[in-house]
Amino acid sequence: MKKQLRLGAVLFASLLTFGSKAQSYTQSFDDMTTLGASGWVLNNLSTPIGTVPTWVQGNASPLANYVNGHALANFNNVAGAATISNWMISPLTNLSNGSTITFYTRTVDAPAYPDRLEVRLSINGASTNVGATNTSVGDFTAVLLDINPTLTTAGYPNTWTQYTITISGLAAPTTGRIAFRYFVTNGGPSGANSDNVGVDEFAYNDINVTNPDLSVLSVNKEYTVIPLAQATAMNLGGVIRNTSPNPATNAQMKVDVYQAPNFTTPLYTQTSPAAALAGNTNSTIGLGTYTPTAVGNYRYQYTSICTGNVLTSADTLNYDFEIAPNLYARDNGIVSTAIGIGAGPVGYMGSKFTINTATELDSVIVVFDKTTPGPGDSTRVVIFNFNLGLPNAIVGTSDAYTFTAADGLVGLDEKVFQIEDLTGNALVLAPGDYLVAAVEYDSLLEIANVVEIFTPNTQYVSWVGQAWATTESFGSPFDRTLLIRPYLSPVCPATFSTDVQASCSPYVWIDGNTYAASNNTAQYITTNSSGCDSIITLNLTVGTPTSSTDTQVACGAYTWIDGNTYTAANNTAQFVLTNSSGCDSTITLNLTFTTAITSTDNQTACDTYTWVDNNTYTANNNTAQVTLTSVNGCDSIVTLNLVINTSPTGTAIDNGDNTLTASGGTTYQWIDCATNLPIAGQNTATFAPTANGNYAAIVANGSCADTTNCVVINTIGIGENATIYVNIYPNPTSDGVSVVFAEGSAQLTITDMQGKIVQSLEIQSNETISLAGLHAGTYLFVIQTENGMSIQRVVKK
C-alpha cells in the first residue's frame, strides 16, 4: 500500500488560549490559553465526545491558519447525529450604534458537509445565559449575522473571508456580549451536516474609543528546552497591533528577560524606538538578541506601549522556555494529535535541531500513540545531517525496537533510544543542522505532536517515492511539532600541558614515580576546570654535578674567581658554579708560587738567523738571552742555542758530450728548469739528459742547499741522421722566413734556447714561416726529412 502522511486521533490534553481586550480589541486566537482569563466564555449545549470542548485551538484542524492559529469548532462536538449548539462568548463590551465587528472565518477546502455560524448579541450586561437546550438562545436574542442558514455545501466560504457587522438599533449605548454560535442541525459524526469552521482576527471597534489600543499579536519563539551548551544569541521581537481605528504616534514593544523564580528584576530589557502605527494595522518589531548563560527557566515578557493606551488586557505576551543541562526540545509536552505514514515501504518522520557547539548525542526520547503500532512492528531512531537545506545522509542510529502487546494500550508510549555513530562509537555532532527521525517500516507508526509551538521548516517526512518535505507542505493539519527530544552530552575537550622540571638527583613526579634519568614521555591525567581530561607530559632533565681543579702558578699575590686574594700556596679553596646540565660545578684551586721560569730555545739555521731579540746572528751562539713574561705573570728567561751552517755554492757545466756536471755540495738532485720539478733517479754529480732541455742541480751540504745555474742541452739526436742542405732566409728577420730544402716536404720543430718547443708543423720547400707570435731572440729550427736532419739558428729581431 502506498504510504501517505496521516493525522492520528485527536488527543487534546489541554486548551491553548490567548488574551483579549474588554471593549475596542482584537482577538487573533493564536494562543487560546488566556481565553477564560480575558473574559471569553465557552458554552456547549450539545453532547460532547470525551473531553473535547466547545471551541479549541485550530492548529490541530484541517484548516490552514490565517495568522498563527485560530479558534475551531467541528462535528466532534456532538455524538452520532444531533443538533450542535456551541457558543464562544466575548468579554463584557461597551456597545453603541455605529461600532463595528470584523472577523475572518472559513470551512474546509472541499466542503462535503454543510456548516453554519451565527453571530449573536446580548445587551443584558455581563449575562452569559444561552438557555438550557441546543435550540435555545437565552439573552442572545439579536442575530447580527447568519452564515449559511440553509446549510448548503457552497454556502460557507472555504477560504479565509472577512465579515464586517455594524451595530445598530440600540436605544442608547449599553453593555453586553457578542457571541459566535456554531449552530448545525443534523450534525455530528453520523449526521448529514457539520465539518469544521474556524474563526480568527476578531476585532470590535467602538466608535466611542478615541485612543489608540496596542496589543502583542505574536512573538519569536522556537525551542521549549535548550541545552546550555547550545544556547546562543536568540532573536528577540514579535508583532504588535493597533486594534483601535485611531492611530498611535509612538507605538513601541518592550522585552524583559527574567529567570525564574525572579519575575521582578529583569536580567535584560530592551525597548524599540517609538514609531507611528495606523489604526487596525500590525508592526513587526526586532529587539536585538539575548544569550542565556545559566541553567534555569526563562521568560521573555513582551509588552506593547503607546501614549493613550488605556486598554491593557492584551498588552503582554510571554515566551517561557528552559535552559537545561542536556535536553533539547521543540515541544511543550502538551500532546494534541499523532502523525503517521500509511503502510508500505520505509519512511522517516523527524524534527530538526541546530547544533551550535560540538556535542555527543547520547539518546533520543520519542512519544508514540500506543493504539497504533501492533505487536511485532518495529522502529528505530536515525540521525541525518543536512545538505542544501534538506536531510541528507545518516550519521547515527539506534538499535531497532520491536513493539509488544504491552505497548498496545490506550494513551501514549514514551521510548528512549540510545544513539551511536555508524561504527558503534559515541555519535559526535559538529556544529550544523541535524534531523532526529523515527523510522516507520511496513506498519502504521504514529508519533505524538503538539500544536502550540511550531516553527516552519523544522519537521520533515520522507518515504520511498516521496522526497524529503516539511510536514506543513502537506497542508495545515500537519503544521505541528513532533514529540522527539534528543539528549546531548557536551564534548569534553582535553587540555594538554608540559611540566618542565630539572633535577641534579633522582626526581619524584606527581605520578609517584622516581625518575633517575631525563624523561620527556611520561604522562599524568587529571581533571581540568571544565571537568575534562587534563593531560600533563613530563619534560625532565636530570643533570650530573661535576668537579674540577684549577691549577695556577703565581709570582706574587693571586686573586682567584672567588674574589679572594692568595699570597701563599693553596689546594683547598673551592668555588661552586653551574654546569651545562644546571647542576653544581665545584672547582678546587691548586695554587703554587714561583720566582722565574727559564728555558732554552734550540735553533739551527743556514748562514744567518734573526731571533726574538731582533738580532741577526751569522755564527753559532749559546749565550744570548731574552726575558719575557709568562702566562702567570712571572719572568720567563729564554737562552738561545744556535747552530749556523754554511750554505754551498753550486755550479753546473755542459761537458760537450750531452752530459752535465754539478759541483759545490755533498748531495745532488737534478731538476728540469722548465718545471722546477726533480728528475727521478738523477742524484749524482753527473747527469746525462735523454732529451734536449734546460737543466740544473740542487746541491746540498747537510741541511743547507743551493741551486746551480740552468744549462741548455739541444744537441741530443743530432748526428743520428744524415745532414741535409737547408737554406733559411732572411736571417735575422723581424717577421717571417722562407725555408728551402731539396725534398718536397719536411717536419719543422722550432724551440727556444732552453729547449722549449714553441711551434711544430709540416712544411713544403720554399714555404714562408711567420714568426709574428714569437718574442725577439734566438730560436733553433730543426728540419727533418726522409733523407736527414738539419738544425739552424734563426734570430728574430
Side-chain angles (χ1 to χ4, degrees):
M1 178 180 178
K2 184 178 180 181
K3 284 184 178 284
Q4 59 180 345
L5 196 62
R6 67 185 296 272
L7 196 64
V10 178
L11 303 172
F12 291 104
S14 67
L15 296 180
L16 297 181
T17 60
F18 193 92
S20 63
K21 301 275 183 174
Q23 31 190 338
S24 287
Y25 52 84
T26 293
Q27 175 61 57
S28 69
F29 301 109
D30 291 343
D31 185 346
M32 297 177 63
T33 54
T34 59
L35 238 166
S38 60
W40 285 83
V41 177
L42 302 180
N43 196 334
N44 185 6
L45 298 180
S46 309
T47 304
I49 297 176
T51 60
V52 178
T54 306
W55 291 83
V56 298
Q57 172 58 259
N59 274 350
S61 80
L63 307 181
N65 286 325
Y66 180 66
V67 181
N68 292 315
H70 56 272
L72 171 75
N74 63 22
F75 62 92
N76 278 325
N77 284 279
V78 67
T83 296
I84 299 175
S85 181
N86 293 341
W87 297 75
M88 182 167 61
I89 305 171
S90 76
L92 179 64
T93 302
N94 294 326
L95 302 174
S96 57
N97 291 330
S99 297
T100 59
I101 300 168
T102 60
F103 65 93
Y104 288 80
T105 186
R106 65 162 293 177
T107 184
V108 296
D109 294 338
Y113 303 96
D115 277 314
R116 179 182 181 184
L117 179 70
E118 292 180 343
V119 180
R120 288 181 168 269
L121 179 67
S122 167
I123 57 174
N124 191 14
S127 172
T128 58
N129 176 25
V130 294
T133 69
N134 56 6
T135 58
S136 61
V137 295
D139 290 333
F140 291 83
T141 55
V143 178
L144 302 181
L145 178 66
D146 192 352
I147 302 175
N148 199 23
T150 59
L151 292 171
T152 66
T153 55
Y156 207 100
N158 61 356
T159 60
W160 287 105
T161 301
Q162 186 181 43
Y163 288 84
T164 301
I165 305 170
T166 301
I167 296 178
S168 62
L170 297 176
T174 185
T175 60
R177 293 180 185 263
I178 302 163
F180 291 96
R181 182 192 188 195
Y182 182 49
F183 181 52
V184 186
T185 57
N186 193 17
S190 302
N193 302 320
S194 75
D195 199 325
N196 287 267
V197 296
V199 174
D200 203 2
E201 293 296 289
F202 172 83
Y204 175 70
N205 300 310
D206 189 347
I207 63 172
N208 294 319
V209 176
T210 60
N211 294 326
D213 182 16
L214 260 60
S215 64
V216 180
L217 192 61
S218 64
V219 297
N220 299 335
K221 53 184 177 179
E222 184 172 354
Y223 294 102
T224 57
V225 185
I226 304 172
L228 179 61
Q230 305 305 320
T232 58
M234 300 172 65
N235 291 321
L236 303 175
V239 179
I240 58 174
R241 181 175 179 82
N242 182 1
T243 63
S244 168
N246 301 294
T249 58
N250 57 349
Q252 294 176 283
M253 175 184 273
K254 178 185 178 185
V255 63
D256 291 301
V257 177
Y258 299 98
Q259 184 176 1
N262 182 359
F263 293 103
T264 302
T265 305
L267 303 173
Y268 172 87
T269 186
Q270 181 71 35
T271 303
S272 66
L277 183 60
N280 296 316
T281 60
N282 300 342
S283 178
T284 300
I285 305 294
L287 292 170
T289 63
Y290 178 77
T291 304
T293 58
V295 171
N297 292 309
Y298 287 79
R299 170 171 291 175
Y300 292 175
Q301 186 173 87
Y302 295 89
T303 306
S304 59
I305 307 168
C306 74
T307 300
N309 182 23
V310 296
L311 304 175
T312 61
S313 59
D315 287 351
T316 300
L317 185 61
N318 297 330
Y319 170 32
D320 294 324
F321 64 95
E322 178 184 0
I323 297 295
N326 51 18
L327 179 63
Y328 221 158
R330 288 185 174 277
D331 66 273
N332 62 2
I334 302 174
V335 177
S336 299
T337 60
I339 294 179
I341 308 173
V346 174
Y348 303 93
M349 294 176 290
S351 183
K352 180 173 75 173
F353 292 88
T354 297
I355 300 301
N356 298 303
T357 303
T359 185
E360 291 183 7
L361 200 167
D362 292 335
S363 58
V364 174
I365 291 178
V366 182
V367 178
F368 299 99
D369 178 2
K370 280 189 175 185
T371 62
T372 304
D377 292 339
S378 61
T379 188
R380 71 173 69 237
V381 169
V382 292
I383 313 301
F384 290 86
N385 61 17
F386 271 75
N387 183 39
L388 300 177
L390 291 174
N392 181 40
I394 294 176
V395 297
T397 183
S398 73
D399 291 336
Y401 176 78
T402 301
F403 292 91
T404 66
D407 294 310
L409 303 175
V410 175
L412 302 177
D413 195 3
E414 178 183 294
K415 299 297 181 187
V416 179
F417 297 84
Q418 300 298 319
I419 305 298
E420 296 176 338
D421 67 13
L422 301 184
T423 64
N425 296 313
L427 176 60
V428 177
L429 300 180
D433 291 331
Y434 296 88
L435 187 74
V436 182
V439 182
E440 180 178 300
Y441 296 102
D442 190 10
S443 61
L444 183 58
L445 187 70
E446 293 190 345
I447 302 176
N449 61 76
V450 302
V451 297
E452 292 76 15
I453 178 167
F454 174 76
T455 302
N457 300 314
T458 61
Q459 310 300 307
Y460 289 83
V461 63
S462 174
W463 60 82
V464 175
Q466 170 62 54
W468 283 108
T470 59
T471 56
E472 69 267 21
S473 65
F474 290 89
S476 60
F478 301 104
D479 51 358
R480 57 201 62 214
T481 300
L482 298 170
L483 213 158
I484 296 177
R485 295 182 165 192
Y487 274 87
L488 307 180
S489 176
V491 174
C492 209
T495 56
F496 298 86
S497 62
T498 300
D499 183 14
V500 179
Q501 297 290 343
S503 177
C504 297
S505 60
Y507 180 75
V508 180
W509 197 38
I510 54 177
D511 60 0
N513 295 323
T514 300
Y515 296 88
S518 298
N519 189 298
N520 60 4
T521 59
Q523 288 187 328
Y524 181 72
I525 300 177
T526 183
T527 302
N528 60 25
S529 59
S530 301
C532 305
D533 286 348
S534 173
I535 302 174
I536 305 172
T537 301
L538 174 63
N539 183 5
L540 170 66
T541 301
V542 177
T544 303
T546 57
S547 60
S548 61
T549 300
D550 182 15
T551 299
Q552 297 289 344
V553 177
C555 303
Y558 178 74
T559 301
W560 196 37
I561 55 177
D562 60 359
N564 296 323
T565 300
Y566 297 89
T567 58
N570 190 301
N571 61 4
T572 60
Q574 289 186 328
F575 187 70
V576 180
L577 299 173
T578 300
N579 61 22
S580 58
S581 64
C583 299
D584 287 349
S585 173
T586 304
I587 305 173
T588 301
L589 175 63
N590 182 14
L591 173 65
T592 58
F593 284 89
T594 185
T595 56
I597 300 173
T598 61
S599 62
T600 299
D601 183 13
N602 296 309
Q603 298 290 343
T604 299
C606 297
D607 303 323
T608 64
Y609 178 74
T610 301
W611 196 38
V612 293
D613 60 359
N614 291 321
N615 294 322
T616 300
Y617 298 89
T618 59
N620 294 344
N621 191 303
N622 59 5
T623 59
Q625 288 185 330
V626 66
T627 301
L628 304 174
T629 301
S630 68
V631 294
N632 56 13
C634 302
D635 287 346
S636 175
I637 302 173
V638 183
T639 300
L640 175 63
N641 182 20
L642 173 65
V643 176
I644 295 293
N645 294 318
T646 301
S647 298
T649 300
T651 59
I653 61 174
D654 182 355
N655 297 322
D657 57 356
N658 291 332
T659 63
L660 303 174
T661 298
S663 61
T666 58
T667 61
Y668 302 89
Q669 175 62 59
W670 289 92
I671 64 173
D672 185 342
C673 291
T675 63
N676 287 324
L677 296 176
I679 301 172
Q682 302 303 318
N683 46 24
T684 61
T686 301
F687 170 48
T690 60
N692 293 327
N694 200 2
Y695 302 96
I698 299 174
V699 297
N701 184 10
S703 60
C704 299
D706 186 28
T707 301
T708 70
N709 56 297
C710 291
V711 180
V712 176
I713 298 296
N714 54 19
T715 59
I716 296 173
I718 298 177
E720 295 180 0
N721 299 304
T723 302
I724 62 173
Y725 171 76
V726 175
N727 181 25
I728 299 176
Y729 68 91
N731 188 11
T733 181
S734 60
D735 186 12
V737 296
S738 297
V739 181
V740 181
F741 48 87
E743 290 79 355
S745 62
Q747 181 67 35
L748 170 64
T749 301
I750 304 174
T751 68
D752 61 15
M753 295 308 292
Q754 285 74 39
K756 180 179 179 182
I757 298 173
V758 297
Q759 195 171 359
S760 179
L761 69 162
E762 185 177 347
I763 63 174
Q764 304 295 320
S765 176
N766 206 29
E767 182 176 344
T768 299
I769 308 303
S770 174
L771 302 181
L774 300 179
H775 299 292
T778 301
Y779 295 89
L780 296 179
F781 277 46
V782 180
I783 299 94
Q784 178 74 51
T785 71
E786 60 183 7
N787 297 322
M789 175 187 292
S790 177
I791 299 177
Q792 303 286 333
R793 293 179 183 269
V794 177
V795 176
K796 181 183 179 185
K797 296 186 289 184

